[in-house]
Amino acid sequence: MVSQISAQRGRRTPVIGSQHSSRPRWVGLALASPTALLLLTLFLGSIALLVDQSLQEDMGGGSGTTAAHWSAFFTSSSRLEAIGETFLIAALSAVISTVIAVPTAYGLHRMKSSTWRFVGIFIVFAPLMTSVIARTYGWSLLLGQKGIVNWAVGLVGMQPLDMLYARPAVVIALVHIFLPFVVFPILSSLGQLDGALRDAAIDLGARPWTTFRRVILPLILPGIIAGAQITFALSMSSFATPSLLGGGRVSVLATLVYSDVNTVQWPMAAVTSIVLLVLAVVVLGLFTLAQKKTQVGGAQGVTAAPGEKSIHGGLATWMIAVYIFVLSPLIIIIISSFSSASYGAWPLPGWSTKWYANLLSQDGLGEAAYASVFIALWATVIVLIIGTMASVSFHRYRGLVLRGVSVLSLAPMVVPKVTIGLAAFLLLNITGVLQGIAGIIAMHVIITLPFVVIVLTSALSRTDATLDDAARDLGAGPLRAFRASTLFAIRPSLIAAGLFAFIVSFDEVDMTVFLLKPGQETLPVWMFTYMQKYQDPTLAALASLLIALSLVIAFVAGLFLLRGEKAGLASSR
């Protein structure tokens, strides 16, 4: 139907020329070289040490080579069951997140009022700035035996639901945590959609559902796959949420790795990590293949803004339900921070501000917060530069080497962070380079690189590369031509990718804990350590302050996205 509409509209949709036929191959290799160098030295160097560790008889190294740990893994029924559980939880999280995200992104895109649209983006995006540990804590308060859900169930005379420490609780929390990662690639795709296509479909007599299913959905499919890819990969390698909400009953590969490290079974931890890595690369390869096959027409230029924009009835109700789902854990955290009790219960036995006073008296909290911001800022700047160069290379140039670097650039997203942290600790100490904060920033660049590549590759698939050529034919240099055409077109996605990178870096704990020197702490590591020692709502007080900070950052992010889209639409008129 898309082709019919394009024909009906004459030649309003730009004709996209070849993306790579006239460009020298060395340019693509040069653009991807910083990413390749970083991945080959730090990431693959760490993995090589893991492989060596998996063949050692014990954790000391140099103790002889053996395949006993590999044999023990594949003959262990619990390890094989963990593989199935890992895939099942990742698949459920990706499917449910995508089902929720598509109408949510479409609802945000269709909002007629820019103010309400801004509020919607603000609500969906704001929870990302809250620590994963804090959000998981919020779901434990909601789904626990004395939580608000069972309190509501009791009001209607039903028996309490046994949700905590089971698979449903893990999946619900993962969907909540990763939902924004699916919404924003889809929203970015919708923002680059030619609104005239929808108007043309309506002119041809198509109903709204038919227009969405046969016109809009095929064009935003790369964004949907990119979001599902992120969610599947992150769910597959998630450790904190399955560990805390699974309560030992939900065993996935990542929790087994962490358990092996804690029990000093480093060879078995290495074996489990490598198995997870191989499975993840295969799955990501399939996602990448699917994304390339769904690039309808290569790119779509925006020739006109859509006509009437509004949401009614069912879609409006859906948006309200999503807002409640997104905000519930955050609200319960804020309320619990004023509890007079030192445990989670609903209704609150009393009110108090003593946990905020207790928070202010904590040693090292300010230094930990400063370190987190410093590391996240530098990691974001570096990853945006090399990630943009790599994404352009992957999209506009072809070759076996570039295809390999493209797949490799996504691998750090699915490797358990505890494994990367352990491997990086070994590598950096053996080589003696990038010690301290520099090493942490370098490793944060590696783990945030997949987010930038996925989001920007999806955005680049809807840009017209011939505009760069046209600008160069008119006398512009390569950098100026790229800045004036492609960079301008992907600006909203670039902002979203930068925010993703900052958030992931700021919230990282599982890997960073291995790389900090004695006396050093980041904010998530401080929270992680505090939760290991205490169970009182002091952490809820800190999370409440982070939520307030997230409101400010989400406000700024939403403003940038809104202005970027308006600028894009204005330039198309």
Side-chain angles (χ1 to χ4, degrees), residues 167-482:
R167 186 188 302 146
V170 175
V171 173
I172 290 172
L174 290 177
V175 168
H176 177 266
I177 290 170
F178 300 131
L179 180 63
F181 289 91
V182 194
V183 170
F184 280 93
I186 300 173
L187 192 60
S188 176
S189 298
L190 287 166
Q192 293 181 295
L193 195 66
D194 190 348
L197 288 173
R198 176 182 176 274
D199 297 340
I202 294 175
D203 292 342
L204 289 171
R207 294 180 176 277
W209 170 243
T210 304
T211 302
F212 176 80
R213 182 170 56 86
R214 299 190 62 183
V215 177
I216 297 174
L217 192 59
L219 293 174
I220 65 172
L221 205 50
I224 295 174
I225 294 175
Q229 185 178 18
I230 293 173
T231 303
F232 191 97
L234 290 178
S235 300
M236 198 172 176
S237 62
S238 179
F239 158 71
T241 301
S243 179
L244 293 172
L245 296 183
R249 299 179 186 174
V250 179
S251 179
V252 295
L253 290 176
T255 59
L256 288 181
V257 171
Y258 197 81
S259 176
D260 290 337
V261 171
N262 279 340
T263 55
V264 205
Q265 299 181 53
W266 289 6
M268 182 56 77
V271 171
T272 308
S273 302
I274 293 169
V275 170
L276 181 56
L277 174 61
V278 171
L279 295 174
V281 170
V282 172
V283 171
L284 287 175
L286 295 176
F287 268 107
T288 303
L289 186 63
Q291 192 176 36
K292 290 184 179 297
K293 288 186 176 297
T294 55
Q295 292 178 3
V296 181
Q300 301 292 323
V302 178
T303 61
E308 179 187 1
K309 293 181 70 174
S310 62
I311 61 173
H312 304 285
L315 190 54
T317 305
W318 174 268
M319 295 303 296
I320 293 173
V322 171
Y323 294 160
I324 293 174
F325 171 73
V326 170
L327 294 177
S328 294
L330 309 184
I331 293 173
I332 195 67
I333 287 173
I334 295 173
I335 294 175
S336 296
S337 71
F338 294 100
S339 174
S340 62
S342 58
Y343 56 92
W346 189 267
L348 300 184
W351 297 86
S352 173
T353 59
K354 61 183 178 182
W355 306 115
Y356 287 90
N358 189 46
L359 179 66
L360 295 175
S361 65
Q362 299 299 318
D363 294 331
L365 181 59
E367 292 81 356
Y370 173 78
S372 290
V373 173
F374 183 84
I375 292 169
L377 279 176
W378 273 107
T380 301
V381 170
I382 296 172
V383 78
L384 278 182
I385 294 173
I386 69 170
T388 302
M389 294 168 60
S391 300
V392 172
S393 173
F394 299 155
H395 178 67
R396 295 185 175 173
Y397 298 86
R398 295 292 182 270
L400 189 60
V401 174
L402 288 179
R403 196 175 300 121
V405 177
S406 174
V407 173
L408 184 61
S409 68
L410 303 179
M413 187 167 59
V414 294
V415 180
K417 302 302 181 295
V418 289
T419 305
I420 298 180
L422 175 62
F425 170 78
L426 296 173
L427 180 69
L428 298 179
N429 278 280
I430 290 174
T431 60
V433 299
L434 297 175
Q435 295 293 306
I437 296 298
I440 297 174
I441 292 174
M443 296 311 298
H444 278 217
V445 169
I446 288 177
I447 64 170
T448 54
L449 182 65
F451 300 95
V452 175
V453 170
I454 289 175
V455 173
L456 294 186
T457 302
S458 174
L460 286 166
S461 70
R462 295 176 300 282
T463 59
D464 187 353
T466 58
L467 293 177
D468 280 27
D469 297 335
R472 296 184 65 179
D473 291 341
L474 293 173
L479 187 59
R480 185 179 179 186
F482 175 78

